[in-house]
C-alpha cells in the first residue's frame, strides 16, 4: 500500500505506480528484538496514524527518476530491516521475523506541472497521509513511498514507515544514505547489528541479565515516583488523547547559551540541556522530581547506533530536582542519565505486565506524560524538510500542524549548534499557546543565565517567566504524587455504583484488618533503603455499603479500573473502611470514624 495524495489536493496528471525489484540480499529468520516487540504491540493496538511514522527526503536537482529508484533499491538490499516481515496467525502477536533475499516494492509517482503552495509543506502532507492504514506486518513492504515530480523531474520522496522496522533515528540514517547514493558516493560497510543479530545478543545470558536489571529499575520508579507529572485541576482530558500543534524554536541565542553553560559547568551540552529541561518541567509541574522518557537513549552503544531497525524502548529518567543550584542539578543529571541509559533494554511484554501489576497495587495510573527525544547527535538528524536553510534565526518561534498527542509534553531536539532547534508538542489542556511559547523561551532564558553563572533553583520563576501549576488548598502531596481528595471521592463513588463515599486525609502509621499496611521499606533508585511508606499521611476512604456485599478488594479493583480515564489527581486511598449507613453529617470525617466498621483493608493483593 502506498500513500495517496491528500484529499484536498488536485493533481492535473494522474498518478502512476512503478514496481521496483530488488535482489542480492541474504534470506534469514530469527526471533524479533525487544524493540520490535515493543512497537509491534503498539501497531496491533493503536491508531495507525499515531504509531506509523513518516519522513520527507528532498531530491537534488538534476537527479532522474531512475536514479531515485536505484537508490531506494540499494537501501532495501543494504538493510535487512527493510526486507523484513513478521509472520503470525490472526489474533496473535509475531515472535519471529523473516528477512527476504529478494522481492519487490512499489513507488507511487505524482507528477505536477508545479508543486502546489509551499512545496515542503505539501510534501510533508503527502508523507503524513501515508500513515493512514495499518501495515500488514506479515506481508507488506515496510515503506510506503511516493515520489513527487515536476514535469517528471524528482523533487521529493514522501515516505511512511512501519514502526516495527524503523524509528526516527533509522529514518535519519536512511535519509543520509539516500542523499549520499544520489551523489554517487560509496557507502561504508555496516558497523551496527541487523535486527536478527541484535535479537541474538538480547537473548544471550548477558542480555537477559540486563533486561532483568532494567525491569527492577523501572519498578522502583513506578512504585515511588509521581504517577503523573502534570497533576493539576485543568489536568488531562479523561480517556482521550489531545491534538497539539507543533511549536518549533530556532534560536542562535539558545545555541550560544547552551555552549556557554556547558563550558562553564564542564559538562557535555546534552547533559546541560537535559538538566535544564528537567528543571523547567518539574518547576512548571510543581514537582520535586522530573520523570521523563528518553526514547533515543538506547542507541548509545555502537552495535545499535546506526542500525536500521526500531530501538524504541524508552530510557526512563527519574531526576530529583531538590538541590540548591542549577550547577548541582547538572552534576546530578550526569549520573541519573547514565543510569537511565543502562536500563533501557527490556522485555516490553513483561514491562507492561509489571506496570499493570504495580499500578493496580499502588492504585494509580503511570502516565508517560513527558518525552524528551534528543536526536541532535545523529549524523543526519531528522530536521524536517529544508530546515537546514533556516539556521539564521536569532530567536524564532513558529507554529506548525496539529497531531494527536498520546502524552502531555513531547520535545524533539534536532540541533544544538549553531542554533538550538527544538520542536515541542504541549497538551492544550495544560498549556495555552502563550504558555507553550513561554516554556521554550524560558528554556533559552535559563540556559543564558546558566552560561553567565550558577542559578539558584528557587529563582526559576523570575529567571524563566514560567510559573508553577496552580492548585487549590484541597490538593495534597501523598505517596510522591499530587492528589485531589475530591477527585478521588467522585471517582470512587462512580466505581462503587453511587454508594455514599467520604475520603479523608489521615496520618500514619495505622493498622488494618489485614495487619499493618505499608510497612515494607522501599528501595531508592540508588539502592539505599527509604522510610516506610506508612510514616506518611495517607487517604482513607469510608464507604457506606448498606446491604451491598462490597469488600475493600472489590472497591479497590473497581476504582483502579476507572483511574486511567478519571482525569487528574486520582490516587487510590491506602485504606478502605466499610460501614452500613452514612452519618447524619456526611461531610465530617470524625462522624464517619465514629461509625461501626463492617470491614476494612487496603484492597491490595499485596503490600506496596
Amino acid at each position: 500500500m502506498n500513500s495517496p495524495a491528500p484529499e484536498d489536493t488536485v493533481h492535473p496528471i494522474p498518478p502512476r505506480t512503478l514496481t521496483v525489484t530488488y535482489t542480492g540480499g541474504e534470506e534469514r529468520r530469527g526471533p524479533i528484538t525487544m524493540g520490535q516487540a515493543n512497537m509491534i504491540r503498539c501497531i496491533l493496538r493503536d491508531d495507525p496514524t499515531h504509531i506509523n511514522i513518516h519522513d520527507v527526503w528532498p531530491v537534488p536537482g538534476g537527479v532522474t527518476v531512475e536514479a531515485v529508484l536505484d537508490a531506494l533499491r540499494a537501501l532495501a538490499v543494504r538493510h535487512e530491516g527493510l526486507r523484513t516481515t513478521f509472520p503470525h496467525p490472526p489474533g496473535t502477536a509475531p515472535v519471529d521475523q523473516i528477512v527476504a533475499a529478494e522481492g519487490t516494492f512499489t513507488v507511487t509517482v505524482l507528477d505536477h506541472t508545479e508543486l502546489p503552495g509551499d512545496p515542503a509543506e505539501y510534501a510533508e502532507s503527502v508523507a503524513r497521509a501515508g500513515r493512514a492504514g495499518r501495515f500488514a506486518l506479515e506481508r507488506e513492504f515496510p515503506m510506503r513511498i511516493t515520489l513527487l515530480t515536476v514535469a517528471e523531474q524528482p523533487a521529493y520522496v514522501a515516505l511512511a514507515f512501519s514502526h516495527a522496522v524503523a524509528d526516527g533515528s533509522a529514518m535519519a540514517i536512511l535519509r543520509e544514505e539516500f542523499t549520499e547514493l544520489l551523489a554517487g558516493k560509496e557507502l561504508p560497510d555496516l558497523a551496527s547489528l541487523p535486527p536478527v543479530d541484535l535479537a541474538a545478543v538480547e537473548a544471550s545470558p548477558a542480555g537477559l541479565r540486563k533486561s532483568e536489571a532494567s525491569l527492577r529499575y523501572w519498578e522502583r520508579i513506578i512504585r515511588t515516583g509521581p504517577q503523573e507529572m502534570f497533576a493539576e485541576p485543568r489536568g488531562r482530558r479523561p480517556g482521550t488523547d489531545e491534538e497539539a500543534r507543533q511549536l518549533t524554536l530556532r534560536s542562535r541565542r539558545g545555541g550560544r547559551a547552551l555552549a556557554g553553560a556547558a563550558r562553564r559547568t564542564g559538562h557535555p551540552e546534552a547533559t546541560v540541556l537535559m538538566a535544564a529541561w528537567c528543571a523547567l518541567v518539574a518547576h512548571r509541574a510543581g514537582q520535586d522530581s522530573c520523570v521523563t522518557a528518553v526514547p533515543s537513549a538506547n542507541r548509545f552503544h555502537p552495535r545499535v547506533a546506526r542500525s536500521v531497525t526500531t530501538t524504541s524502548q524508552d530510557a526512563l529518567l527519574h531526576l530529583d530536582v531538590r538541590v540548591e543550584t542549577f550547577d548541582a542539578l547538572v552534576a546530578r543529571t550526569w549520573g541519573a542519565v547514565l543510569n537511565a541509559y543502562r536500563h533501557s533494554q527490556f522485555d516490553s511484554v513483561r514491562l507492561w505486565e509489571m506496570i499493570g501489576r504495580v499500578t493496580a497495587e499502588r492504585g494509580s495510573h503511570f502516565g508517560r506524560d513527558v518525552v524528551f527525544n534528543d536526536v541532535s547527535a545523529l549524523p543526519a538528524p531528522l530536521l524536517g524538510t529544508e530546515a537546514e536553510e533556516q539556521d539564521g534565526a536569532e530567536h524564532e518561534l513558529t507554529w506548525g500542524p496539529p497531531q494527536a498527542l498520546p502524552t502531555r509534553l513531547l520535545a524533539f531536539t534536532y540541533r544544538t549548534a549553531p542554533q538550538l532547534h527544538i520542536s515541542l508538542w504541549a497538551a492544550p489542556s495544560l498549556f495555552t499557546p502563550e504558555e507553550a511559547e513561554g516554556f521554550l523561551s524560558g528554556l533559552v532564558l535559563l540556559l543564558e543565565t546558566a552560561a553567565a553563572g550558577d542559578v539558584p533553583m528557587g529563582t526559576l520563576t523570575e529567571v524563566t517567566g514560567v510559573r508553577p501549576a496552580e492548585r487549590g488548598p484541597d490538593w495534597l502531596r501523598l505517596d510522591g504524587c499530587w492528589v485531589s481528595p475530591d477527585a478521588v471521592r467522585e471517582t470512587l463513588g462512580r466505581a462503587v455504583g453511587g454508594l455514599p463515599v467520604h475520603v479523608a486525609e489521615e496520618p500514619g502509621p495505622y493498622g488494618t484488618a489485614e495487619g499493618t499496611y505499608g510497612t515494607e521499606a522501599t528501595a531508592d533508585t540508588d539502592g539505599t533503603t527509604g522510610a516506610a511508606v506508612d510514616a506518611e499521611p495517607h487517604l482513607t476512604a469510608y464507604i457506606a455499603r448498606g446491604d451491598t456485599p462490597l469488600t475493600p478488594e472489590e472497591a479497590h479493583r473497581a476504582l483502579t479500573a476507572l483511574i486511567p480515564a478519571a482525569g487528574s489527581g486520582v490516587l487510590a486511598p491506602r485504606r478502605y473502611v466499610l460501614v452500613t449507613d452514612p452519618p447524619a453529617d456526611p461531610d465530617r470525617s470524625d462522624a464517619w470514624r465514629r461509625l461501626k466498621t463492617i470491614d476494612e483493608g487496603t484492597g491490595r493483593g499485596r503490600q506496596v
Side-chain angles (χ1 to χ4, degrees), residues 17-88:
T17 300
L18 303 178
T19 299
V20 180
T21 300
Y22 63 85
T23 186
E26 179 185 356
E27 184 175 348
R28 305 181 70 197
R29 181 171 186 146
I32 60 177
T33 69
M34 292 179 179
Q36 288 171 332
N38 188 43
M39 296 318 303
I40 287 171
R41 176 182 178 273
C42 299
I43 289 168
L44 295 175
R45 179 196 63 193
D46 295 346
D47 185 326
T49 59
H50 296 181
I51 194 62
N52 295 338
I53 53 179
H54 73 279
D55 195 15
V56 175
W57 300 347
V59 179
V63 173
T64 65
V65 171
E66 289 72 20
V68 170
L69 301 182
D70 286 343
L72 293 169
R73 179 187 293 110
L75 292 176
V77 174
R78 175 176 170 83
H79 295 290
E80 291 186 5
L82 301 183
R83 296 183 275 115
T84 296
T85 53
F86 304 90
H88 61 287

Side-chain angles (χ1 to χ4, degrees), residues 509-511 515-522 529-535 574 607-608:
Y510 61 85
T516 302
Y517 164 73
T519 55
E520 181 181 44
T522 58
T529 300
V533 293
D534 68 353
R574 285 205 191 157
Q607 292 182 338
V608 292

Side-chain angles (χ1 to χ4, degrees), residues 429-491:
S429 63
L430 291 163
F431 292 82
T432 65
E434 294 76 19
E435 287 172 327
E437 292 179 356
F439 186 88
L440 282 182
S441 294
L443 187 67
V444 172
L445 290 169
L446 175 56
L447 292 171
E448 287 180 327
T449 309
D454 202 357
V455 182
M457 292 292 285
T459 65
L460 288 183
T461 299
E462 292 76 13
V463 168
T464 68
V466 175
R467 304 187 64 83
E470 295 183 2
R471 301 179 181 93
D474 55 323
W475 281 69
L476 307 171
R477 194 194 295 271
L478 301 170
D479 192 18
C481 304
W482 280 106
V483 181
S484 167
D486 285 343
V488 175
R489 175 184 51 77
E490 189 276 331
T491 306

Side-chain angles (χ1 to χ4, degrees), residues 152 197-198 215 269 294 374 550:
E152 300 187 357
D197 294 334
L198 179 58
L215 292 174
E269 290 186 3
V294 190
D374 186 349
L550 182 71

Side-chain angles (χ1 to χ4, degrees), residues 329-352:
L329 183 65
V330 173
R332 175 176 288 185
T333 301
W334 171 254
V337 168
L338 289 180
N339 203 24
Y341 286 4
R342 286 198 303 267
H343 297 101
S344 60
Q345 177 185 309
F346 44 78
D347 182 327
S348 60
V349 174
R350 290 187 58 202
L351 175 77
W352 284 104

